[in-house]
Amino acid sequence: MASAGARLESGQLALSEGRWDDARASFEAALAVEATPEAHEGVAWAAVWTNDGDAAIAALDHAHRLYLARDERRGAARVAGWLAWCYGSFRGQYAVPAGWGERARQLLDGL
């Protein structure tokens, strides 16, 4: 059985080659081994490229929570920014992105 790290690498390679379904499958396989923010973020990018906004938002939300649990503020802020974009782009909800944008700004304060 491939490690979570190997599956993450496979997912990143698939993303870089535009193989969105393969990327998503690799990241989901990585999540089956270990729930990491990187794997959730990878699922989110594969979902964005296949226009699956609901899956992208759910995956980014999981990634955000896991980055916060690790106290990785930069990662949490990056994901918050992409959550803002996803809510606006996929759902047309423009108040929600303002909140996520503010959250990203707060996380970056002092860094």
Side-chain angles (χ1 to χ4, degrees):
M1 180 198 275
S3 70
R7 291 167 193 229
L8 283 173
E9 287 179 28
S10 175
Q12 290 296 337
L13 177 62
L15 276 181
S16 73
E17 294 174 347
R19 296 182 290 114
W20 319 127
D21 293 334
D22 292 343
R24 188 168 179 170
S26 291
F27 291 123
E28 288 173 347
L31 286 169
V33 175
E34 180 183 7
T36 66
E38 295 85 3
H40 281 292
E41 204 170 349
V43 168
W45 278 111
V48 164
W49 286 108
T50 58
N51 206 32
D52 186 350
D54 290 338
I57 288 169
L60 287 169
D61 186 61
H62 286 298
H64 180 74
R65 292 170 195 265
L66 290 171
Y67 279 127
L68 288 175
R70 281 191 194 167
D71 197 31
E72 290 185 26
R73 290 170 47 199
R74 283 182 177 87
R78 179 185 59 252
V79 169
W82 285 114
L83 274 163
W85 181 85
C86 284
Y87 272 100
S89 296
F90 289 116
R91 294 190 179 166
Q93 296 174 332
Y94 299 108
V96 176
W100 279 111
E102 178 59 21
R103 179 70 177 140
R105 188 195 62 72
Q106 290 172 355
L107 285 164
L108 294 174
D109 276 351
L111 295 181

